[in-house]
Amino acid sequence: MKLKTFLYGLFLVLPLFLASCGDDDLKNASLVSINKTILSRDRTIGVDITYSDSARVKAKGYAPILDKVTPTNGSTYQEMVKGVNIDFYNPNGTIDGNLVCDYAIRKDTELKTEFRKNVVVKNSKGDTFSSQELIWDESKKIFYSNQRVYVKGADGSIGEGINFKAPQDFSTYEMDSGNGELNMKEGVAP
């Protein structure tokens, strides 16, 4: 009896649902499908990356996974979903810095690489920089971040701040709203 009542109710209500579907709904559905973005993803496992400028190797990196993504309606990008480990080289060809992170994305047309999640950089002086995001601008040859960046100097000084900016070699840096502890050497002023 309950099944018969259910089926009878279904047959009474079903025409109401079907009548509510009009031509406009079908037109909207086709518009939605037109706006889809299709991605082409090529995955490479165990990638060695070399960055050179003026025939001199400036950096070598390793990414466990590199995805080259090509959207149908946008610019291509390279995604390193398992992070990257990069060694920086000085003009003599020796390693003078390192960058590691858990995720990176390089946007080809912008010439920018975003390093995210547990980003740690060590420079030639032994200073360590850490943040959740650092962005490398290839054309300006700088690293920057609007996120908080922590700095630990080789001399034991520590600091933190936002709006971080440094040249590619991290030889100097600047940031806003900073605070920390500095170790200064005593000496005679010039």
Side-chain angles (χ1 to χ4, degrees):
M1 185 70 169
K2 288 183 182 180
L3 179 61
K4 206 182 236 186
T5 306
F6 173 74
L7 290 175
Y8 180 71
L10 182 64
F11 286 122
L12 286 176
V13 175
L14 188 59
L16 294 175
F17 285 124
L18 293 176
S20 68
C21 294
D23 289 336
D24 290 339
D25 292 337
L26 293 176
K27 287 178 186 173
N28 289 339
S30 64
L31 290 176
V32 171
S33 64
I34 290 172
N35 293 328
K36 284 185 182 177
T37 300
I38 299 171
L39 301 175
S40 168
R41 184 178 294 263
D42 296 318
R43 177 165 280 188
T44 307
I45 307 293
V47 178
D48 289 310
I49 304 163
T50 302
Y51 172 73
S52 61
D53 187 13
S54 304
R56 183 176 74 79
V57 174
K58 295 214 170 190
K60 286 185 180 179
Y62 174 77
I65 297 174
L66 176 74
D67 290 337
K68 182 177 181 182
V69 181
T70 308
T72 54
N73 61 351
S75 59
T76 61
Y77 58 92
Q78 298 168 32
E79 197 172 26
M80 290 146 269
V81 295
K82 295 287 184 178
V84 68
N85 185 341
I86 302 171
D87 290 326
F88 299 104
Y89 291 84
N90 64 22
N92 299 329
T94 57
I95 296 172
D96 71 348
N98 177 267
L99 181 148
V100 294
C101 67
D102 293 342
Y103 174 87
I105 183 169
R106 181 181 187 276
K107 299 176 180 176
D108 295 346
T109 56
E110 295 178 29
L111 294 176
K112 290 184 181 179
T113 305
E114 297 174 15
F115 301 97
R116 298 183 194 151
K117 298 180 186 172
N118 302 313
V119 184
V120 177
V121 177
K122 294 182 182 178
N123 68 7
S124 61
K125 297 188 247 178
D127 300 331
T128 302
F129 304 83
S130 59
S131 182
Q132 289 303 307
E133 178 184 74
L134 277 178
I135 300 168
W136 176 47
D137 187 324
E138 278 182 58
S139 56
K140 293 180 181 176
K141 300 185 184 219
I142 62 167
F143 280 89
Y144 67 91
S145 179
N146 296 327
Q147 303 290 319
R148 186 157 302 281
V149 176
Y150 300 89
V151 181
K152 183 176 180 186
D155 62 358
S157 59
I158 56 171
E160 65 177 275
I162 57 173
N163 298 326
F164 178 86
K165 185 176 172 183
Q168 291 181 146
D169 63 0
F170 284 84
S171 56
T172 61
Y173 63 91
E174 44 185 85
M175 58 184 155
D176 295 335
S177 302
N179 65 64
E181 298 177 19
L182 297 174
N183 292 327
M184 303 182 77
K185 294 181 182 178
E186 287 187 38
V188 180

